[in-house]
Coordinates of all heavy atoms in Angstrom, one line a residue:
M7 N 16.5 26.5 -1.1 CA 16.5 25.4 -2.0 C 17.7 24.4 -1.7 O 17.5 23.2 -1.7 CB 16.7 25.9 -3.4 CG 16.7 24.8 -4.5 SD 15.1 24.0 -4.6 CE 14.5 24.6 -6.1
S8 N 18.8 25.0 -1.3 CA 19.9 24.1 -0.9 C 19.6 23.3 0.3 O 20.1 22.1 0.4 CB 21.2 25.0 -0.8 OG 21.0 25.9 0.3
S9 N 18.9 23.8 1.3 CA 18.6 23.0 2.5 C 17.6 21.9 2.1 O 17.7 20.8 2.6 CB 18.0 23.9 3.6 OG 16.7 24.4 3.1
L10 N 16.7 22.1 1.2 CA 15.8 21.1 0.7 C 16.6 20.0 0.0 O 16.4 18.8 0.3 CB 14.8 21.6 -0.3 CG 13.9 20.6 -1.0 CD1 13.0 19.9 0.0 CD2 13.1 21.3 -2.1
L11 N 17.5 20.3 -0.9 CA 18.4 19.4 -1.6 C 19.3 18.6 -0.6 O 19.5 17.4 -0.8 CB 19.2 20.0 -2.6 CG 18.4 20.6 -3.8 CD1 19.3 21.4 -4.8 CD2 17.7 19.5 -4.6
A12 N 19.8 19.3 0.4 CA 20.6 18.6 1.4 C 19.8 17.6 2.2 O 20.2 16.4 2.5 CB 21.2 19.6 2.4
N13 N 18.5 17.9 2.5 CA 17.6 17.0 3.2 C 17.3 15.8 2.4 O 17.3 14.7 2.8 CB 16.3 17.7 3.6 CG 15.5 16.9 4.5 OD1 16.0 16.0 5.2 ND2 14.2 17.2 4.5
L14 N 17.0 16.0 1.1 CA 16.8 14.9 0.2 C 18.0 14.0 0.0 O 17.9 12.8 0.0 CB 16.4 15.4 -1.2 CG 14.9 15.9 -1.3 CD1 14.7 16.6 -2.7 CD2 13.9 14.8 -1.0
A15 N 19.2 14.6 0.0 CA 20.4 13.8 -0.2 C 20.6 12.9 1.0 O 21.2 11.8 0.9 CB 21.6 14.8 -0.3
E16 N 20.1 13.3 2.2 CA 20.3 12.5 3.4 C 19.2 11.4 3.4 O 19.4 10.3 3.9 CB 20.2 13.3 4.6 CG 21.4 14.2 4.9 CD 21.2 15.1 6.1 OE1 20.3 14.9 6.9 OE2 21.9 16.1 6.2
T17 N 18.0 11.7 2.9 CA 16.8 10.8 3.0 C 16.8 9.7 2.0 O 16.6 8.6 2.3 CB 15.5 11.7 3.0 OG1 15.6 12.7 4.0 CG2 14.3 10.8 3.1
L18 N 17.1 10.1 0.7 CA 16.9 9.2 -0.4 C 17.7 7.9 -0.2 O 17.2 6.8 -0.5 CB 17.3 9.9 -1.7 CG 16.2 10.9 -2.2 CD1 16.7 11.5 -3.5 CD2 14.9 10.2 -2.4
P19 N 19.0 7.9 0.2 CA 19.7 6.6 0.3 C 19.1 5.6 1.3 O 19.4 4.4 1.2 CB 21.1 7.1 0.7 CG 21.2 8.5 0.4 CD 19.8 9.0 0.5
N20 N 18.4 6.2 2.3 CA 17.8 5.3 3.3 C 16.4 4.8 3.0 O 15.9 4.0 3.8 CB 17.8 6.0 4.6 CG 19.2 6.5 5.0 OD1 20.1 5.7 4.9 ND2 19.3 7.7 5.5
L21 N 15.8 5.2 1.9 CA 14.4 4.8 1.6 C 14.4 3.3 1.1 O 15.3 2.9 0.5 CB 13.9 5.6 0.5 CG 13.4 7.0 0.8 CD1 12.9 7.8 -0.4 CD2 12.3 7.0 1.9
T22 N 13.4 2.6 1.5 CA 13.2 1.2 1.1 C 11.9 1.1 0.4 O 11.1 2.1 0.4 CB 13.2 0.3 2.4 OG1 12.0 0.6 3.1 CG2 14.4 0.4 3.2
H23 N 11.6 0.0 -0.2 CA 10.3 -0.2 -0.9 C 9.2 -0.1 0.1 O 8.1 0.5 -0.2 CB 10.3 -1.6 -1.5 CG 11.2 -1.8 -2.7 ND1 10.7 -1.6 -4.0 CD2 12.5 -2.0 -2.8 CE1 11.7 -1.8 -4.8 NE2 12.8 -2.0 -4.1
W24 N 9.4 -0.5 1.4 CA 8.4 -0.4 2.4 C 8.0 1.1 2.6 O 6.9 1.4 2.8 CB 8.9 -1.0 3.7 CG 7.9 -0.9 4.8 CD1 7.9 0.0 5.8 CD2 6.8 -1.8 5.0 NE1 6.9 -0.3 6.7 CE2 6.1 -1.3 6.2 CE3 6.2 -2.8 4.3 CZ2 5.0 -1.9 6.6 CZ3 5.1 -3.4 4.8 CH2 4.5 -2.9 5.9
D25 N 9.0 2.0 2.6 CA 8.8 3.4 2.8 C 7.9 4.0 1.8 O 7.2 5.0 2.0 CB 10.1 4.1 3.0 CG 11.0 3.7 4.1 OD1 10.4 3.3 5.2 OD2 12.2 3.6 4.0
I26 N 8.0 3.5 0.6 CA 7.3 4.2 -0.5 C 6.1 3.4 -1.0 O 5.5 3.6 -2.1 CB 8.2 4.4 -1.7 CG1 8.8 3.1 -2.3 CG2 9.3 5.4 -1.4 CD1 9.5 3.3 -3.6
R27 N 5.6 2.4 -0.2 CA 4.4 1.6 -0.6 C 3.2 2.6 -0.7 O 3.1 3.5 0.0 CB 4.2 0.5 0.4 CG 3.7 0.9 1.8 CD 3.9 -0.2 2.8 NE 3.3 0.2 4.1 CZ 3.9 1.0 5.0 NH1 5.0 1.6 4.7 NH2 3.3 1.3 6.1
P28 N 2.3 2.3 -1.6 CA 1.2 3.1 -1.8 C 0.3 3.2 -0.6 O 0.1 2.2 0.1 CB 0.4 2.5 -3.0 CG 1.4 1.6 -3.7 CD 2.4 1.2 -2.6
A29 N -0.4 4.3 -0.4 CA -1.3 4.4 0.8 C -2.4 3.4 0.8 O -2.8 2.9 1.9 CB -1.9 5.8 0.8
R30 N -2.8 2.9 -0.4 CA -3.9 2.0 -0.5 C -3.5 0.6 0.1 O -4.3 -0.2 0.4 CB -4.4 1.8 -1.9 CG -3.4 1.2 -2.8 CD -3.9 1.1 -4.3 NE -2.9 0.6 -5.1 CZ -1.9 1.3 -5.7 NH1 -1.8 2.6 -5.5 NH2 -1.0 0.7 -6.5
T31 N -2.2 0.3 0.3 CA -1.7 -0.9 0.8 C -1.4 -0.9 2.3 O -1.3 -2.0 2.9 CB -0.5 -1.4 0.1 OG1 0.6 -0.5 0.4 CG2 -0.7 -1.5 -1.4
V32 N -1.4 0.3 2.9 CA -0.9 0.4 4.3 C -1.8 -0.4 5.2 O -1.3 -1.2 6.0 CB -0.8 1.9 4.7 CG1 -0.5 2.0 6.2 CG2 0.3 2.6 3.8
S33 N -3.1 -0.1 5.3 CA -3.9 -0.8 6.2 C -4.1 -2.3 5.9 O -4.2 -3.1 6.8 CB -5.3 -0.1 6.3 OG -6.0 -0.1 5.1
I34 N -4.1 -2.6 4.6 CA -4.3 -4.0 4.2 C -3.1 -4.8 4.7 O -3.3 -5.9 5.3 CB -4.5 -4.1 2.7 CG1 -5.8 -3.4 2.3 CG2 -4.5 -5.6 2.3 CD1 -6.0 -3.2 0.8
L35 N -1.9 -4.3 4.5 CA -0.7 -5.0 4.9 C -0.7 -5.1 6.5 O -0.2 -6.1 7.0 CB 0.5 -4.4 4.4 CG 0.7 -4.6 2.8 CD1 1.9 -3.7 2.3 CD2 0.8 -6.0 2.4
A36 N -1.1 -4.1 7.1 CA -1.1 -4.1 8.6 C -2.0 -5.2 9.1 O -1.7 -5.9 10.1 CB -1.5 -2.7 9.2
Y37 N -3.2 -5.3 8.5 CA -4.2 -6.3 9.0 C -3.7 -7.7 8.6 O -3.9 -8.6 9.4 CB -5.5 -6.1 8.4 CG -6.3 -4.9 9.0 CD1 -6.6 -3.8 8.3 CD2 -6.6 -5.0 10.4 CE1 -7.3 -2.7 8.9 CE2 -7.2 -3.9 11.0 CZ -7.6 -2.8 10.2 OH -8.2 -1.7 10.8
L38 N -3.0 -7.9 7.5 CA -2.4 -9.2 7.1 C -1.3 -9.5 8.1 O -1.3 -10.7 8.6 CB -1.9 -9.1 5.7 CG -1.2 -10.4 5.3 CD1 -2.1 -11.6 5.4 CD2 -0.7 -10.3 3.8
A39 N -0.5 -8.6 8.5 CA 0.6 -8.9 9.4 C 0.0 -9.3 10.8 O 0.5 -10.2 11.4 CB 1.5 -7.6 9.6
R40 N -1.0 -8.6 11.2 CA -1.7 -8.9 12.5 C -2.3 -10.3 12.4 O -2.2 -11.1 13.3 CB -2.8 -7.9 12.8 CG -3.4 -8.1 14.1 CD -4.4 -7.1 14.4 NE -5.0 -7.3 15.7 CZ -5.8 -6.5 16.4 NH1 -6.1 -5.4 15.8 NH2 -6.2 -6.8 17.5
F41 N -2.9 -10.7 11.3 CA -3.5 -12.0 11.1 C -2.4 -13.1 11.2 O -2.6 -14.1 11.8 CB -4.3 -12.0 9.8 CG -4.8 -13.4 9.5 CD1 -6.0 -13.8 10.1 CD2 -4.2 -14.2 8.5 CE1 -6.5 -15.1 9.8 CE2 -4.7 -15.5 8.2 CZ -5.9 -15.9 8.8
L42 N -1.4 -12.8 10.5 CA -0.3 -13.9 10.4 C 0.4 -14.0 11.7 O 0.8 -15.1 12.1 CB 0.7 -13.5 9.3 CG 0.2 -13.6 7.9 CD1 1.3 -13.0 6.9 CD2 -0.2 -15.0 7.5
S43 N 0.6 -12.9 12.4 CA 1.4 -13.0 13.7 C 0.5 -13.3 14.9 O 1.0 -13.7 15.9 CB 2.1 -11.7 13.9 OG 1.2 -10.7 14.2
G44 N -0.8 -13.0 14.8 CA -1.7 -13.2 15.9 C -1.6 -12.2 17.0 O -2.2 -12.3 18.0
Q45 N -1.0 -11.1 16.6 CA -0.9 -10.0 17.6 C -0.8 -8.6 16.9 O -0.5 -8.6 15.7 CB 0.3 -10.2 18.5 CG 1.6 -10.3 17.7 CD 2.8 -10.7 18.7 OE1 2.7 -10.7 19.9 NE2 3.9 -11.2 18.1
V46 N -0.9 -7.6 17.6 CA -0.8 -6.2 17.0 C 0.7 -6.1 16.6 O 1.6 -6.4 17.4 CB -1.2 -5.1 17.9 CG1 -0.9 -3.8 17.4 CG2 -2.7 -5.3 18.3
V47 N 1.0 -5.6 15.4 CA 2.4 -5.4 15.0 C 2.8 -4.0 14.9 O 1.9 -3.1 14.7 CB 2.6 -6.1 13.6 CG1 2.4 -7.6 13.7 CG2 1.6 -5.5 12.6
D48 N 4.0 -3.7 15.2 CA 4.5 -2.3 15.1 C 4.8 -2.0 13.6 O 5.2 -2.8 12.8 CB 5.9 -2.2 15.9 CG 5.6 -2.3 17.4 OD1 4.5 -2.0 17.8 OD2 6.6 -2.6 18.1
Y49 N 4.6 -0.7 13.4 CA 5.0 -0.1 12.0 C 4.2 -0.8 10.9 O 4.8 -1.0 9.8 CB 6.5 -0.1 11.8 CG 7.3 0.5 12.9 CD1 8.0 -0.2 13.8 CD2 7.2 1.9 13.1 CE1 8.7 0.4 14.8 CE2 7.9 2.5 14.2 CZ 8.6 1.8 15.0 OH 9.3 2.3 16.1
G50 N 3.0 -1.2 11.2 CA 2.2 -1.8 10.1 C 2.6 -3.1 9.5 O 2.2 -3.4 8.4
G51 N 3.5 -3.8 10.2 CA 4.0 -5.1 9.7 C 5.3 -5.0 9.0 O 5.7 -5.9 8.3
R52 N 6.0 -3.9 9.2 CA 7.4 -3.8 8.7 C 8.3 -5.0 9.0 O 9.1 -5.4 8.2 CB 8.0 -2.5 9.1 CG 9.3 -2.2 8.5 CD 10.0 -1.0 8.9 NE 11.1 -0.6 8.0 CZ 11.3 0.5 7.5 NH1 10.5 1.5 7.8 NH2 12.3 0.7 6.6
S53 N 8.2 -5.5 10.2 CA 9.1 -6.6 10.6 C 8.8 -7.8 9.8 O 9.7 -8.7 9.6 CB 9.0 -6.9 12.1 OG 7.6 -7.3 12.4
I54 N 7.6 -8.0 9.3 CA 7.2 -9.1 8.5 C 7.4 -8.9 7.0 O 8.0 -9.8 6.3 CB 5.7 -9.5 8.8 CG1 5.6 -9.9 10.3 CG2 5.3 -10.7 7.9 CD1 4.1 -10.1 10.7
F55 N 7.0 -7.8 6.5 CA 7.0 -7.5 5.1 C 8.1 -6.5 4.6 O 8.2 -6.2 3.4 CB 5.7 -7.0 4.6 CG 4.5 -7.9 5.0 CD1 3.4 -7.4 5.7 CD2 4.5 -9.2 4.7 CE1 2.4 -8.2 6.1 CE2 3.5 -10.1 5.0 CZ 2.4 -9.6 5.7
G56 N 8.8 -5.9 5.6 CA 9.7 -4.8 5.2 C 10.8 -5.0 4.2 O 11.3 -4.1 3.6
D57 N 11.1 -6.3 4.0 CA 12.2 -6.6 3.0 C 11.7 -6.9 1.6 O 12.5 -7.1 0.7 CB 13.0 -7.8 3.5 CG 13.8 -7.5 4.8 OD1 14.2 -6.3 5.0 OD2 14.1 -8.4 5.6
L58 N 10.4 -6.9 1.5 CA 9.8 -7.2 0.1 C 10.0 -6.0 -0.8 O 10.0 -4.9 -0.4 CB 8.3 -7.6 0.3 CG 8.0 -8.8 1.1 CD1 6.6 -9.0 1.2 CD2 8.7 -10.0 0.5
T59 N 9.9 -6.3 -2.1 CA 10.0 -5.3 -3.1 C 8.6 -4.6 -3.2 O 7.6 -5.2 -2.8 CB 10.4 -5.8 -4.5 OG1 9.4 -6.7 -4.9 CG2 11.7 -6.5 -4.4
L60 N 8.6 -3.5 -3.8 CA 7.3 -2.8 -4.0 C 6.3 -3.6 -4.8 O 5.1 -3.7 -4.4 CB 7.5 -1.4 -4.6 CG 6.3 -0.5 -4.7 CD1 5.7 -0.2 -3.4 CD2 6.8 0.9 -5.3
P61 N 6.7 -4.2 -5.9 CA 5.7 -5.1 -6.6 C 5.2 -6.2 -5.7 O 4.0 -6.6 -5.8 CB 6.4 -5.6 -7.8 CG 7.5 -4.6 -8.0 CD 7.9 -4.1 -6.7
A62 N 6.0 -6.8 -4.9 CA 5.6 -7.9 -4.0 C 4.6 -7.4 -3.0 O 3.7 -8.1 -2.7 CB 6.8 -8.5 -3.4
L63 N 4.9 -6.2 -2.4 CA 4.0 -5.6 -1.4 C 2.6 -5.4 -2.0 O 1.6 -5.7 -1.4 CB 4.6 -4.3 -0.9 CG 5.8 -4.5 0.0 CD1 6.4 -3.1 0.3 CD2 5.4 -5.2 1.3
E64 N 2.6 -4.8 -3.2 CA 1.3 -4.5 -3.9 C 0.6 -5.8 -4.2 O -0.6 -5.9 -4.0 CB 1.5 -3.7 -5.2 CG 2.0 -2.3 -4.8 CD 1.8 -1.3 -6.0 OE1 0.6 -1.1 -6.3 OE2 2.8 -0.9 -6.5
K65 N 1.3 -6.8 -4.7 CA 0.6 -8.1 -5.0 C 0.1 -8.8 -3.8 O -1.0 -9.3 -3.8 CB 1.7 -9.0 -5.7 CG 1.1 -10.3 -6.2 CD 0.1 -10.1 -7.3 CE -0.4 -11.3 -7.9 NZ -1.5 -11.2 -8.8
L66 N 0.9 -8.7 -2.7 CA 0.4 -9.3 -1.4 C -0.8 -8.6 -0.9 O -1.8 -9.2 -0.5 CB 1.6 -9.2 -0.4 CG 1.4 -9.9 0.9 CD1 1.2 -11.4 0.7 CD2 2.6 -9.7 1.7
A67 N -0.8 -7.3 -1.0 CA -2.0 -6.5 -0.5 C -3.2 -6.8 -1.3 O -4.3 -7.0 -0.8 CB -1.6 -5.0 -0.5
E68 N -3.0 -6.9 -2.6 CA -4.1 -7.2 -3.5 C -4.7 -8.6 -3.3 O -5.9 -8.8 -3.2 CB -3.7 -7.1 -5.0 CG -4.8 -7.1 -6.0 CD -4.4 -6.7 -7.3 OE1 -3.8 -5.6 -7.5 OE2 -4.7 -7.5 -8.3
A69 N -3.8 -9.6 -3.1 CA -4.3 -10.9 -2.8 C -5.0 -11.0 -1.5 O -6.0 -11.7 -1.4 CB -3.1 -11.9 -2.8
W70 N -4.5 -10.3 -0.5 CA -5.2 -10.4 0.8 C -6.5 -9.6 0.8 O -7.5 -10.1 1.3 CB -4.3 -9.7 1.9 CG -4.9 -9.7 3.3 CD1 -5.1 -8.6 4.1 CD2 -5.3 -10.8 4.1 NE1 -5.6 -8.9 5.3 CE2 -5.7 -10.3 5.3 CE3 -5.3 -12.2 3.9 CZ2 -6.2 -11.1 6.3 CZ3 -5.7 -13.0 4.9 CH2 -6.2 -12.5 6.1
A71 N -6.6 -8.5 0.0 CA -7.8 -7.8 -0.1 C -8.9 -8.7 -0.8 O -10.1 -8.7 -0.5 CB -7.6 -6.5 -0.9
Q72 N -8.4 -9.5 -1.8 CA -9.3 -10.4 -2.5 C -9.9 -11.4 -1.6 O -11.0 -11.8 -1.7 CB -8.5 -11.1 -3.7 CG -9.3 -12.0 -4.5 CD -10.1 -11.4 -5.6 OE1 -9.7 -10.4 -6.1 NE2 -11.2 -11.9 -6.0
E73 N -9.0 -11.9 -0.7 CA -9.5 -12.9 0.3 C -10.5 -12.3 1.2 O -11.5 -12.9 1.6 CB -8.4 -13.5 1.1 CG -7.5 -14.5 0.4 CD -8.3 -15.7 -0.1 OE1 -9.1 -16.2 0.7 OE2 -8.1 -16.0 -1.3
L74 N -10.3 -11.1 1.6 CA -11.2 -10.4 2.6 C -12.5 -10.0 1.9 O -13.6 -10.2 2.5 CB -10.5 -9.1 3.1 CG -9.3 -9.3 4.0 CD1 -8.7 -8.0 4.4 CD2 -9.7 -10.1 5.2
D75 N -12.4 -9.5 0.7 CA -13.6 -9.0 0.0 C -13.4 -8.9 -1.5 O -12.8 -8.0 -2.0 CB -14.1 -7.7 0.6 CG -15.3 -7.1 0.0 OD1 -16.0 -7.9 -0.8 OD2 -15.7 -6.0 0.3
P76 N -13.8 -9.9 -2.3 CA -13.6 -9.8 -3.7 C -14.2 -8.6 -4.4 O -13.7 -8.1 -5.4 CB -14.4 -11.1 -4.2 CG -14.5 -12.0 -3.1 CD -14.5 -11.1 -1.9
C77 N -15.1 -7.9 -3.8 CA -15.7 -6.7 -4.3 C -14.7 -5.6 -4.3 O -14.8 -4.7 -5.1 CB -16.9 -6.3 -3.6 SG -18.3 -7.5 -3.7
W78 N -13.7 -5.6 -3.4 CA -12.7 -4.6 -3.4 C -11.9 -4.5 -4.7 O -11.6 -3.4 -5.2 CB -11.7 -4.9 -2.2 CG -10.7 -3.8 -1.9 CD1 -10.9 -2.7 -1.2 CD2 -9.4 -3.7 -2.5 NE1 -9.8 -1.9 -1.2 CE2 -8.8 -2.5 -2.0 CE3 -8.7 -4.6 -3.3 CZ2 -7.5 -2.2 -2.3 CZ3 -7.4 -4.2 -3.6 CH2 -6.8 -3.0 -3.1
I79 N -11.6 -5.7 -5.2 CA -10.8 -5.7 -6.5 C -11.6 -5.1 -7.6 O -11.2 -4.3 -8.4 CB -10.3 -7.2 -6.8 CG1 -9.4 -7.7 -5.7 CG2 -9.7 -7.2 -8.1 CD1 -8.1 -6.9 -5.5
E80 N -12.9 -5.5 -7.6 CA -13.8 -4.9 -8.7 C -13.9 -3.4 -8.6 O -13.9 -2.7 -9.5 CB -15.2 -5.6 -8.6 CG -15.1 -7.1 -8.9 CD -16.5 -7.8 -8.6 OE1 -17.5 -7.1 -8.3 OE2 -16.5 -9.0 -8.6
A81 N -14.1 -2.9 -7.3 CA -14.2 -1.5 -7.1 C -12.9 -0.8 -7.5 O -12.9 0.3 -8.2 CB -14.5 -1.2 -5.7
K82 N -11.7 -1.4 -7.2 CA -10.4 -0.8 -7.6 C -10.3 -0.8 -9.1 O -9.8 0.3 -9.6 CB -9.3 -1.7 -7.0 CG -7.9 -1.2 -7.3 CD -6.9 -2.2 -6.7 CE -5.6 -2.0 -7.4 NZ -4.6 -3.0 -7.0
Q83 N -10.7 -1.8 -9.8 CA -10.7 -1.8 -11.3 C -11.6 -0.7 -11.9 O -11.2 0.0 -12.8 CB -11.0 -3.2 -11.8 CG -9.9 -4.2 -11.5 CD -10.4 -5.6 -11.9 OE1 -11.5 -5.9 -12.0 NE2 -9.4 -6.5 -11.9
A84 N -12.8 -0.6 -11.3 CA -13.7 0.4 -11.8 C -13.2 1.8 -11.6 O -13.3 2.7 -12.5 CB -15.1 0.3 -11.1
I85 N -12.5 2.1 -10.5 CA -11.9 3.4 -10.2 C -10.8 3.6 -11.2 O -10.7 4.7 -11.7 CB -11.4 3.5 -8.8 CG1 -12.6 3.6 -7.8 CG2 -10.5 4.7 -8.6 CD1 -12.3 3.5 -6.4
S86 N -9.9 2.6 -11.4 CA -8.8 2.8 -12.4 C -9.4 3.1 -13.8 O -8.8 4.0 -14.5 CB -8.0 1.5 -12.4 OG -7.4 1.3 -11.2
E87 N -10.4 2.4 -14.2 CA -11.0 2.7 -15.5 C -11.6 4.1 -15.6 O -11.4 4.8 -16.6 CB -12.0 1.6 -15.8 CG -11.4 0.3 -16.1 CD -12.5 -0.9 -16.1 OE1 -13.7 -0.5 -16.1 OE2 -12.1 -2.0 -16.2
K88 N -12.3 4.5 -14.5 CA -12.9 5.8 -14.5 C -11.8 6.9 -14.5 O -11.9 7.9 -15.2 CB -13.8 6.0 -13.3 CG -14.5 7.3 -13.2 CD -15.5 7.4 -12.1 CE -16.1 8.7 -11.8 NZ -16.3 9.6 -12.9
S89 N -10.8 6.6 -13.8 CA -9.7 7.6 -13.7 C -9.0 7.8 -15.1 O -8.7 8.9 -15.5 CB -8.7 7.1 -12.7 OG -7.6 8.0 -12.6
A90 N -8.8 6.6 -15.7 CA -8.2 6.7 -17.1 C -9.1 7.4 -18.1 O -8.6 8.1 -18.9 CB -7.8 5.3 -17.5
K91 N -10.4 7.1 -18.0 CA -11.3 7.7 -18.9 C -11.5 9.2 -18.7 O -11.5 10.0 -19.6 CB -12.7 7.0 -18.8 CG -13.7 7.5 -19.7 CD -15.1 6.7 -19.5 CE -16.2 7.4 -20.2 NZ -17.5 6.7 -19.8
D92 N -11.8 9.6 -17.4 CA -12.1 11.0 -17.1 C -10.9 11.8 -16.8 O -11.0 13.0 -16.6 CB -13.0 11.0 -15.9 CG -14.4 10.3 -16.1 OD1 -14.7 10.1 -17.3 OD2 -15.0 10.0 -15.1
K93 N -9.7 11.2 -16.7 CA -8.5 11.9 -16.3 C -8.6 12.6 -15.0 O -8.2 13.7 -14.8 CB -8.1 12.8 -17.4 CG -7.9 12.2 -18.8 CD -6.7 11.3 -18.8 CE -6.5 10.8 -20.2 NZ -6.0 9.5 -20.3
T94 N -9.3 12.0 -14.0 CA -9.5 12.6 -12.7 C -8.9 11.7 -11.6 O -8.7 10.5 -11.9 CB -11.0 12.8 -12.4 OG1 -11.6 11.5 -12.4 CG2 -11.6 13.7 -13.3
I95 N -8.6 12.2 -10.5 CA -8.1 11.5 -9.4 C -9.3 10.9 -8.6 O -10.1 11.6 -8.2 CB -7.2 12.3 -8.5 CG1 -6.0 12.8 -9.2 CG2 -6.8 11.5 -7.2 CD1 -5.2 13.8 -8.5
P96 N -9.4 9.6 -8.5 CA -10.6 9.0 -7.8 C -10.6 9.2 -6.3 O -9.6 9.4 -5.7 CB -10.4 7.5 -8.1 CG -9.0 7.3 -8.3 CD -8.4 8.6 -8.9
D97 N -11.8 9.2 -5.8 CA -12.0 9.4 -4.3 C -12.1 8.0 -3.7 O -13.2 7.4 -3.7 CB -13.2 10.2 -4.1 CG -13.6 10.3 -2.6 OD1 -12.7 10.0 -1.8 OD2 -14.7 10.7 -2.3
Y98 N -11.0 7.4 -3.3 CA -11.0 6.0 -2.7 C -11.9 5.9 -1.5 O -12.5 4.9 -1.2 CB -9.6 5.6 -2.4 CG -8.8 5.3 -3.5 CD1 -7.9 6.2 -4.0 CD2 -8.9 4.1 -4.2 CE1 -7.1 5.9 -5.2 CE2 -8.1 3.8 -5.3 CZ -7.2 4.7 -5.8 OH -6.5 4.4 -6.9
L99 N -11.9 7.0 -0.7 CA -12.7 6.9 0.5 C -14.2 7.1 0.3 O -15.1 6.7 1.1 CB -12.3 8.0 1.5 CG -10.8 7.9 2.0 CD1 -10.5 9.1 2.9 CD2 -10.6 6.6 2.7
G100 N -14.6 7.5 -0.9 CA -16.0 7.7 -1.2 C -16.7 6.5 -1.8 O -17.8 6.6 -2.2
I101 N -15.9 5.4 -2.0 CA -16.5 4.2 -2.6 C -17.5 3.6 -1.6 O -17.2 3.4 -0.4 CB -15.4 3.2 -2.9 CG1 -14.4 3.8 -3.9 CG2 -16.0 1.9 -3.5 CD1 -13.2 2.9 -4.1
S102 N -18.7 3.3 -2.0 CA -19.6 2.7 -1.1 C -19.5 1.2 -1.2 O -19.0 0.6 -2.2 CB -21.1 3.1 -1.5 OG -21.3 2.8 -2.9

């Protein structure tokens, strides 16, 4: 237990909003970074978006997803509502 706590003590001070962004935003932000820069970017766009706050990253990912496919936002809302109603964890990959 003490080694786990020691590891956390070293890791936590170095975490950024970029490090804790939700998995659902990772590929969307990477594609946006690639679109904006015109080239493949390292670390999923960290050099472009790495200084943003977590709410800004989520808002940016949502806005870009809306531009790519408005149905994505509707599907996301439907999953959130189902999750709240059924108290289950949704299967994001299973969405048709």
Side-chain angles (χ1 to χ4, degrees):
M7 183 65 105
S8 61
S9 64
L10 172 66
L11 293 174
N13 188 24
L14 283 174
E16 291 176 13
T17 304
L18 287 176
N20 300 318
L21 286 178
T22 66
H23 289 265
W24 180 258
D25 298 322
I26 61 170
R27 70 198 185 283
R30 67 182 178 275
T31 67
V32 172
S33 63
I34 296 170
L35 292 172
Y37 285 118
L38 176 57
R40 183 176 183 175
F41 176 78
L42 293 173
S43 69
Q45 56 190 345
V46 176
V47 292
D48 290 338
Y49 308 108
R52 184 182 195 134
S53 62
I54 297 172
F55 306 125
D57 293 331
L58 297 177
T59 64
L60 188 55
L63 290 169
E64 291 198 66
K65 185 66 177 173
L66 188 59
E68 190 168 308
W70 181 238
Q72 179 85 30
E73 286 299 315
L74 293 176
D75 184 3
C77 295
W78 185 86
I79 299 297
E80 293 170 13
K82 179 181 163 191
Q83 290 170 344
I85 287 173
S86 294
E87 290 169 7
K88 181 174 176 25
S89 177
K91 179 182 171 188
D92 298 341
K93 304 293 185 210
T94 60
I95 298 172
D97 176 14
Y98 287 98
L99 298 177
I101 300 171
S102 55

